[in-house]
Amino acid sequence: KTPAPKATRKKQVGRTATLLASAQRIHTVDISAGGFVLATRKKRAQELSLAEESQIEDLFATLDGSLIRTSADVESFLVENCELSKYLAEPFCHRIRTLAGVGEQEPITQGMLGNWCAGRWRMDDPVELFFHIVKEPEEEHISSNALRRQIHHLVQQHPGLAVMRECDAAVLQRYADTALCRLLYACDPYDAGFVTLANLRKAEPSLIATWRRLDSEVDIDEVRDFFSYLHFYIIDTKFRELAGETQVVLSKEDFTPYDEYSLSSRVIDQLFNESARKFSSGEPGVMSYSDFVHLLISEQDKCTSTAIRFWFRILDVDGDGYVGVSDLRWLHDEQAERAAAYEYPVTPLEDHICLLCDILQPEVPARFALRDFLKHPRMTSALFSLLVSLNKLYEVEGQELFSMK
């Protein structure tokens, strides 16, 4: 079994510089009203700046024998000069040694560090350096496996995750799956299974800022984004309530009692038809633990762009790329029936559609595209809750729903 979280603990408290390389420029063509206009965009310089070389020289001046022997030797450099977490020191050293073609126990020289940093490190861009440290050298993005390796590294290093080091392999795997799902949810809005540099820059919450918080927080539950053990425990407990202690996947029948049977049967059918998202279990209509985590995040906060895309595909019952009156009616009718069984009044669907048209202003009346919903996340979240969950319907019907512009 997954051990319960402990009570919250108190917070414990060189060489001569080379000439600057000229920025390389790549020609592109911009077609304007007057014809072709030659434009340029800057390409990343492949040499270190004077200031960057100076900081590397300062690092080696403090080291015994002017060599990096362990990852601890570069922790302060990463934190103070690169604005990254000390927990990236070990993978940072691994990348440098890999490029240099030396073993993991070999010391790192100033030249080896400088060679790796050239083209990968800028003093004003910790995001790009994080990207290059975490991703595999031959890949153009951060794969899910690369992120998983960093999670396992944190489990072995962070004092707040000592409880995980005492767990069996199955619990550790579920913790890693939970953290990975949460990371990808924030950084992979199109559910591609990997993180691009562009999406890493836009991610909210920021991976780089969250990783840095780990340096100063001994209590992992104070780092609420991604790595909280308490959040994992809650998610894992919800899954175990449905699957039991030994089962690792959920059938539609297993899942139906979720949240006290609050989701309508038609929504559950859509989920297990994999309309919103293809399951990762490898077996049609069978939900894995990772699928469950993704659903739970989408269900708890429907305001994010990832959640809106997820629920839009549930509402698009006929799969034509739009949510129309027939889609809305199919889901609303069951919700109204269920509410009537408890003698709870429900706003007529026509009223909702009129207000939606007034606020979202779709190109075709009563035919809503994904972009329409993305423009009004709070109102969209409330609408989705009305249509998919009986418990949420009770909450939303009591609010001034469509004042949420």
Side-chain angles (χ1 to χ4, degrees):
K1 293 184 179 180
T2 306
K6 297 178 181 178
T8 304
R9 300 171 291 277
K10 293 183 179 179
K11 296 181 183 177
Q12 300 179 0
V13 237
R15 293 193 311 252
T16 305
T18 59
L19 292 174
L20 286 171
S22 299
Q24 298 179 11
R25 294 182 180 274
I26 299 176
H27 295 298
T28 59
V29 175
D30 176 32
I31 302 176
S32 64
F36 294 98
V37 178
L38 190 63
T40 61
R41 63 179 175 85
K42 290 183 180 180
K43 186 181 178 181
R44 179 77 164 85
Q46 295 300 307
E47 295 186 26
L48 296 171
S49 69
L50 291 168
E52 290 160 355
E53 286 199 349
S54 177
Q55 291 191 9
I56 291 176
E57 288 176 356
D58 291 344
L59 165 65
F60 279 87
T62 67
L63 298 175
D64 180 29
S66 295
L67 293 170
I68 296 171
R69 300 183 188 278
T70 69
S71 59
D73 292 337
V74 296
E75 285 182 0
S76 62
F77 176 77
L78 281 177
V79 172
E80 296 167 14
N81 299 87
C82 305
E83 300 180 29
L84 292 179
S85 167
K86 67 181 181 181
Y87 291 107
L88 293 168
E90 191 171 306
F92 180 54
C93 290
H94 172 71
R95 294 291 180 228
I96 296 166
R97 289 186 174 108
T98 299
L99 180 65
V102 301
E104 291 299 312
Q105 303 305 315
E106 292 295 315
I108 296 171
T109 66
Q110 184 172 332
M112 291 161 60
L113 176 58
N115 287 341
W116 190 88
C117 286
R120 297 180 178 89
W121 174 46
R122 283 183 294 182
M123 292 170 58
D124 62 347
D125 194 356
V127 178
E128 185 167 2
L129 182 56
F130 178 96
F131 181 77
H132 285 291
I133 290 173
V134 176
K135 81 175 187 70
E136 293 300 327
E138 68 278 7
E139 295 182 340
E140 297 298 320
H141 53 253
I142 300 176
S143 67
S144 57
N145 285 335
L147 280 172
R148 186 182 294 277
R149 278 191 288 275
Q150 299 308 314
I151 295 166
H152 282 287
H153 176 69
L154 277 177
V155 170
Q156 296 305 315
Q157 299 293 324
H158 197 280
L161 288 169
V163 63
M164 292 305 308
R165 298 194 282 275
E166 301 168 1
C167 294
D168 61 37
V171 175
L172 177 57
Q173 179 71 22
R174 292 201 300 275
Y175 173 81
D177 287 345
T178 305
L180 178 61
C181 286
R182 298 180 72 186
L183 287 165
L184 289 174
Y185 202 93
C187 301
D188 179 22
Y190 297 100
D191 206 13
F194 55 80
V195 180
T196 64
L197 178 58
N199 285 334
L200 183 63
R201 293 191 189 283
K202 294 184 289 187
E204 288 294 339
S206 163
L207 264 67
I208 287 77
T210 302
W211 237 280
R212 287 207 70 182
R213 276 201 68 197
L214 294 168
D215 292 1
S216 58
E217 289 289 359
V218 175
D219 185 354
I220 197 70
D221 290 331
E222 291 297 317
V223 186
R224 299 177 63 84
D225 299 320
F226 312 132
F227 302 115
S228 166
Y229 179 79
L230 177 60
H231 288 179
F232 158 66
Y233 180 79
I234 293 170
I235 293 170
D236 188 60
T237 299
K238 287 180 179 292
F239 183 81
R240 292 289 130 218
E241 287 173 353
L242 300 172
E245 288 299 325
T246 58
Q247 196 167 305
V248 295
V249 294
L250 295 171
S251 67
K252 183 162 70 173
E253 292 70 25
D254 296 328
F255 177 79
T256 299
Y258 169 78
D259 194 23
E260 299 177 333
Y261 296 85
S262 66
L263 298 186
S264 73
S265 63
R266 292 177 180 178
V267 166
I268 292 174
D269 286 343
Q270 285 287 86
L271 285 170
F272 279 83
N273 289 338
E274 304 180 38
S275 299
R277 185 173 184 264
K278 186 174 177 59
F279 289 157
S280 63
S281 64
E283 187 177 347
V286 176
M287 180 184 286
S288 70
Y289 177 78
S290 295
D291 300 326
F292 177 79
V293 176
H294 190 97
L295 166 67
L296 188 64
I297 299 172
S298 300
E299 213 267 320
Q300 293 299 313
D301 182 3
K302 299 183 181 72
C303 287
T304 67
S305 62
T306 305
I308 291 172
R309 289 185 177 92
F310 181 91
W311 291 109
F312 178 85
R313 291 189 290 268
I314 292 289
L315 268 62
D316 180 16
V317 178
D318 57 14
D320 64 353
Y322 295 90
V323 173
V325 174
S326 61
D327 299 320
L328 294 170
R329 188 175 303 283
W330 189 70
L331 294 167
H332 184 271
D333 284 353
E334 185 182 6
Q335 286 289 79
E337 267 183 43
R338 298 171 78 205
Y342 294 95
E343 299 182 351
Y344 191 91
V346 175
T347 303
L349 176 62
E350 289 71 20
D351 292 357
H352 290 323
I353 292 174
C354 287
L355 289 165
L356 278 171
C357 289
D358 288 344
I359 294 171
L360 299 184
Q361 295 290 306
E363 291 183 4
V364 178
R367 189 169 183 257
F368 306 99
L370 174 61
R371 61 179 175 272
D372 300 323
F373 291 120
L374 288 169
K375 289 185 293 188
H376 296 276
R378 288 184 64 226
M379 192 209 70
T380 294
S381 169
L383 172 71
F384 290 174
S385 292
L386 278 172
L387 294 171
V388 305
S389 168
L390 195 61
N391 291 343
K392 296 292 196 305
L393 180 147
Y394 295 152
E395 294 175 15
V396 174
E397 281 280 4
Q399 303 172 8
E400 290 296 326
L401 170 60
F402 293 101
S403 65
M404 298 180 182
K405 297 187 181 182

